Amino acid sequence: MDQGISLADAADEVERLTIRINEARDAYYERDTVIISDAEYDELMHRLEALERSYPQLQSQDSPTLTVGGRGETTLFAPVEHAERMLSLDNVFSPGELAEWAVRAEAAAARPVHWLCELKIDGLAINLRYRNGRLVTAATRGDGRVGEDVTENIRWIKSIPTRLAGTGHPPLVEVRGEVFFPVAAFGELNAKQAAAGEREFANPRNAASGSLRQKAEGKNAAQLELMRDRLGRLRMLVHGIGAWPNPPVASQSEIYALLADWGLPTSSHVRVLDSVGAVQEFIAYNGEHRHAVEHEIDGIVVKIDELALHDELGATSRAPRWAIAYKYPPEQVNTKLLDIVVSVGRTGRATPFAVMEPVRVAGSVVRQATLHNQEVVKAKGVLIGDTIVLRKAGDVIPEVLGPVVELREGDERAFVMPTGCPECGTTLRPMKEGDIDLRCPNAKSCPAQVRGRVEHIGSRGALDIEALGEVSAAALTHPAVPSEPPLPTEAGLFDLTVADLFPIEVVVRDVETGLPRLDDDGIPVYRAPFRRQRKRTDPPYDPDSGATDGDAANVPSKAAYELVANLELAKTKPLWRILVALNIRHVGPVAARALADHFGSLDAIRSAGRAELAEVDGVGPTIADSVLEWFGVDWHVEIVERWAAAGVQFATPGHPGPGAAAAAGGVLAGITVVATGSLDGYSREGAQEAIIAAGGKAASSVSKNTDFVAAGPGAGSKLGKAEALGIRVLDAAQFAVLVTRGPAALDE
């Protein structure tokens, strides 16, 4: 039991940890963005695990400790349900932690084991499904159960066979591996991006994810050629299998040999070792020589080689017990601190960041690093012009450690935090007593904050509007032309027309620093993102397009029409997505789903009190307070009113009202069901939606009010609690009967 903390305090901390972890996961898996280091993420996860061990009743069904990967949905790619779950790996960070894990694993095995060691590739996890030797689908990890269908793009990767070599292929097998850019190919790719005036990728992992998750539709010939060139530079190495119950071999290393015979790409750096000491030597050697490898690595994966022990030891809900990832400490390099520039984000926080001479560290070129706030700058003791020590925390986030004082030349200068917002001039201040961070209080119309919120609205976790990305958001909220932006706030988003977009011109800015890009004469480079030169093949000039008579040589670009069309479609997106798009603090996809499912409409949510909001599964007091606070701001209400006037749907069709099931009168009316573990035929969200569609309540925790618990592999503590309370437990087949025919059918 966690000493010195009450159940109420533990519940609040669990909620805060869950929110932060899910924010980090959504950024990483859905937007290819890193907002916290691996080390900070692991620390948050370990704390959450400890609290849930002490207070099992606080572990919700969708707790990060029970899930892997991202949670958002996207309409960009079709969903693919994996035939067998794709798990994550637990991490260790020191030889001592590794030795402790190995002792536990060997004791559980109750026999001597062999250790298979392989390099942990810093890439994108992929699942290849082969039927009778033929590739049928390729999917990303997703949430471990359902991923994104990237089959057509995978076919361009030369190292992946669409038909397996040899014979004896099983009727169905899933091959798991990592897609990545080799170091040389990544350098070539960024050189080509720079030559074309395109954004350079921050690191190989983001480049791999961004390259694989692109659609061919809508691209012209030149764009298709660039897309296929990027895909053609990708490579893959396999590191496991799924959905093959009885492979004809006894070890993981033999699996690799068999996959190699079938023509699948396997690593040449795999070793099978007899002792933990030898494993640690392997780890140390590769840590010293990590940049001699053809691809980026961030650690070593250690597995028990014997396949029989994989089944015996099993897995938790998110990671196997027979494997572990040893993560290397970050590297350090020296570079020059050229400047410290302050940027303002979506929440108004003013963040100083270091602008540095480009330097390669932990596999990618770094030009900037956050310094968090003015107090951190003082504590680190850095001066503009210093030679500084830089590392990557968790091999991902650049971090300035401090100056090399001995190399100072006397012309360095101290950083002075500005008193006004660099984008709107409003005086910066702490938002509450004791805050160190300074924020711009002009939340309504500060261009930086509006830009961030508009970009969030278009993100995959919100309205998933492909045409509303970083560039479009900047053009709409902070253009060079016209002087008044089309969107002084997001309230007018759904009123936009092609005529509003056509005149826009923006200053092209450097992605890393945010500073204007200059031409050879030192003049800022301008771009008209929603306008293009008219071609002879274009239809007759249409004055309703938004151009003036003097602009007859130009016409709206395809991007202008696509954005307006995308916004029209977004008006009827599910209520939970609309809630996420409103930018209410802490209301991400999980909380938004819970609110939408329970209340059914925005009006009902606005009318609810704090207690009613907090009692909803997946919400709680912190989110309840955020919702009430948000609706207490007049310009937030204006957003809702203007969106509603423009046709945005703020209610779930057919929902009977607060607290009632969405399918009133269904076969599960008045029935509470908890679905936990891996239920064949259902993703985690799919099981919940099936319960709701049948008129039932999909609860996240087991209590005396629970009527049924549907449990599959990885059910964990909820299964034990159900048995202790005498609640009927159903398998996947019985669950399917329950949600389609009702409780009475279970006894037929």
Side-chain angles (χ1 to χ4, degrees):
M1 181 72 68
D2 194 311
Q3 300 298 318
I5 183 170
S6 67
L7 176 60
D9 288 341
D12 287 344
E13 186 174 357
V14 164
E15 184 177 358
R16 290 194 299 272
L17 290 167
T18 299
I19 288 169
R20 184 58 174 160
I21 291 168
N22 282 334
E23 286 175 346
R25 283 187 175 183
D26 289 345
Y28 186 79
Y29 288 103
E30 307 304 329
R31 303 193 299 277
D32 299 323
T33 303
V34 176
I35 61 173
I36 62 175
S37 69
D38 280 5
E40 183 180 351
Y41 178 87
D42 289 327
E43 183 179 341
L44 296 175
M45 283 290 289
H46 291 162
R47 177 58 180 166
L48 181 58
E49 288 168 352
L51 287 170
E52 289 179 345
R53 281 195 300 270
S54 297
Y55 301 97
Q57 65 269 45
L58 297 179
Q59 187 179 54
S60 65
Q61 183 178 359
D62 54 6
S63 168
T65 63
L66 299 177
T67 59
V68 299
R71 305 170 301 135
E73 295 179 1
T74 175
T75 57
L76 189 60
F77 293 94
V80 173
E81 186 162 356
H82 308 310
E84 185 175 296
R85 284 186 305 157
M86 290 184 72
L87 298 174
S88 185
L89 288 172
D90 288 332
N91 299 320
V92 294
F93 298 91
S94 70
E97 288 180 312
L98 175 68
E100 289 175 5
W101 171 82
V103 168
R104 290 196 304 271
E106 202 158 21
R111 72 189 84 165
V113 302
H114 295 87
W115 307 102
L116 181 144
C117 302
E118 56 191 340
L119 308 185
K120 187 174 183 298
I121 303 168
D122 191 13
L124 180 70
I126 205 77
N127 184 49
L128 307 177
R129 183 178 299 173
Y130 288 89
R131 291 191 183 275
N132 298 310
R134 185 183 295 275
L135 178 67
V136 290
T137 59
T140 60
R141 181 201 302 275
D143 67 358
R145 302 180 190 279
V146 179
E148 296 175 318
D149 188 343
V150 292
T151 309
E152 293 308 309
N153 287 351
I154 279 289
R155 296 184 189 278
W156 290 95
I157 301 178
K158 301 179 181 68
S159 58
I160 298 177
T162 56
R163 189 68 184 258
L164 298 178
T167 59
H169 311 126
L172 172 68
V173 65
E174 289 184 335
V175 178
R176 276 74 189 271
E178 208 81 6
V179 170
F180 61 91
F181 273 108
V183 174
F186 177 67
E188 293 168 359
L189 171 65
N190 263 351
K192 193 166 186 175
Q193 292 284 112
E198 299 289 336
R199 176 177 66 91
E200 294 182 44
F201 290 99
N203 55 61
R205 194 267 170 198
N206 280 15
S209 178
S211 298
L212 197 59
R213 298 163 77 180
Q214 25 176 6
K215 299 283 279 186
E217 287 84 355
K219 287 183 167 56
N220 59 35
Q223 291 170 328
L224 280 174
E225 182 180 356
L226 181 61
M227 170 181 166
R228 289 167 182 168
D229 175 71
R230 284 166 56 181
L231 291 170
R233 296 175 188 269
L234 288 169
R235 294 293 181 268
M236 176 194 174
L237 289 175
V238 301
H239 55 55
I241 57 169
W244 190 8
N246 296 300
V249 293
S251 67
Q252 180 85 7
S253 52
E254 290 175 296
I255 285 284
Y256 288 172
L258 182 58
L259 296 179
D261 289 342
W262 289 350
L264 286 157
T266 56
S267 175
S268 61
H269 303 285
V270 176
R271 299 291 183 271
V272 178
L273 304 169
D274 295 330
S275 69
V276 175
V279 171
Q280 291 179 333
E281 289 177 5
F282 181 89
I283 290 171
Y285 176 85
N286 283 285
E288 294 174 5
H289 298 84
R290 58 196 295 185
H291 295 305
V293 184
E294 64 272 19
H295 53 73
E296 295 295 341
I297 67 173
D298 58 1
I300 300 294
V301 176
V302 182
K303 303 175 180 177
I304 292 178
D305 194 34
E306 289 79 6
L307 291 181
L309 290 173
H310 293 191
D311 293 332
E312 288 183 26
L313 297 180
T316 66
S317 61
R318 60 181 301 274
R321 294 188 177 93
W322 44 265
I324 202 78
Y326 183 101
K327 301 294 285 292
Y328 285 130
E331 291 182 304
Q332 297 183 8
V333 296
N334 288 359
T335 188
K336 200 78 168 178
L337 178 60
L338 303 177
D339 201 356
I340 297 177
V341 182
V342 174
S343 70
V344 175
R346 174 164 63 107
T347 63
R349 179 182 175 188
T351 304
F353 63 88
V355 179
M356 303 166 291
E357 285 185 353
V359 61
R360 189 172 184 84
V361 54
S364 62
V365 175
V366 175
R367 296 176 175 83
Q368 70 171 23
T370 179
L371 289 167
H372 302 288
N373 56 58
Q374 68 280 4
E375 297 303 320
V376 170
V377 179
K378 292 178 183 177
K380 290 183 181 292
V382 294
L383 302 177
I384 297 170
D386 268 339
T387 296
I388 57 173
V389 180
L390 180 73
R391 73 170 183 178
K392 275 194 177 178
D395 279 353
V396 176
I397 299 178
E399 178 185 0
V400 174
L401 294 181
V404 183
V405 178
E406 296 80 3
L407 297 181
R408 283 180 175 163
E409 299 177 354
D411 56 353
E412 296 82 8
R413 67 185 192 279
F415 165 71
V416 178
M417 188 73 176
T419 58
C421 172
E423 297 229 20
C424 70
T426 304
T427 301
L428 299 172
R429 61 177 176 82
M431 296 308 287
K432 59 184 179 181
E433 187 176 353
D435 275 359
I436 296 175
D437 292 333
L438 300 180
R439 296 180 186 268
C440 172
N442 181 22
K444 177 180 179 180
S445 55
C446 172
Q449 297 181 62
V450 181
R451 179 170 66 245
R453 294 197 300 267
V454 170
E455 185 179 347
H456 170 76
I457 290 169
S459 67
R460 291 181 180 180
L463 293 185
D464 195 17
I465 302 174
E466 187 174 0
L468 188 61
E470 179 182 349
V471 174
S472 297
L476 293 168
T477 59
H478 203 188
V481 175
S483 57
E484 289 295 322
L487 288 184
T489 79
E490 61 267 44
L493 179 64
F494 290 97
D495 296 321
L496 288 173
T497 65
V498 172
D500 296 319
L501 305 178
F502 185 87
I504 294 176
E505 294 183 10
V506 295
V507 175
V508 178
R509 294 180 177 271
D510 183 89
V511 174
E512 299 289 343
T513 65
L515 300 176
R517 187 179 299 172
L518 306 179
D519 63 17
D520 293 339
D521 297 321
I523 299 172
V525 177
Y526 289 83
R527 176 184 172 197
F530 301 112
R531 188 169 71 229
R532 65 177 176 81
Q533 191 73 24
R534 191 177 189 279
K535 300 176 183 177
R536 287 183 299 171
T537 55
D538 284 332
Y541 169 69
D542 178 7
D544 293 333
S545 66
T548 65
D549 291 341
D551 293 323
N554 294 313
V555 295
S557 67
K558 182 179 179 181
Y561 290 109
E562 283 183 345
L563 178 55
V564 172
N566 286 174
L567 288 169
E568 186 63 31
L569 290 173
K571 294 176 182 178
T572 55
K573 289 286 179 79
L575 176 59
W576 73 266
R577 286 190 175 274
I578 304 292
L579 289 173
V580 174
L582 289 175
N583 280 280
I584 303 171
R585 185 173 177 162
H586 300 320
V587 179
V590 172
R593 278 182 180 276
L595 289 166
D597 290 344
H598 182 87
F599 291 100
S601 71
L602 192 68
D603 284 343
I605 294 171
R606 291 178 64 179
S607 300
R610 182 179 188 271
E612 188 179 0
L613 290 167
E615 286 174 359
V616 176
D617 284 333
V619 179
T622 299
I623 296 175
D625 288 340
S626 288
V627 172
L628 294 173
E629 181 183 343
W630 194 88
F631 281 110
V633 177
D634 56 359
W635 63 270
H636 291 168
V637 176
E638 179 190 355
I639 294 171
V640 173
E641 291 174 346
R642 289 193 60 182
W643 284 16
V648 174
Q649 181 175 284
F650 280 116
T652 301
H655 196 290
V667 296
L668 292 185
I671 301 295
T672 299
V673 184
V674 172
T676 181
S678 177
L679 293 167
D680 287 345
Y682 298 89
S683 65
R684 184 176 70 254
E685 293 82 4
Q688 293 175 332
E689 288 166 4
I691 296 165
I692 294 168
K697 178 182 178 182
S700 60
S701 59
V702 178
S703 72
K704 62 181 181 181
N705 297 319
T706 304
D707 295 293
F708 297 95
V709 171
S717 62
K718 291 184 179 64
L719 177 58
K721 189 169 183 179
E723 293 170 342
L725 291 173
I727 296 168
R728 186 169 180 179
V729 177
L730 310 178
D731 60 21
Q734 292 170 314
F735 176 71
V737 171
L738 178 71
V739 297
T740 54
R741 298 167 55 197
L746 294 171
D747 299 319
E748 292 179 357

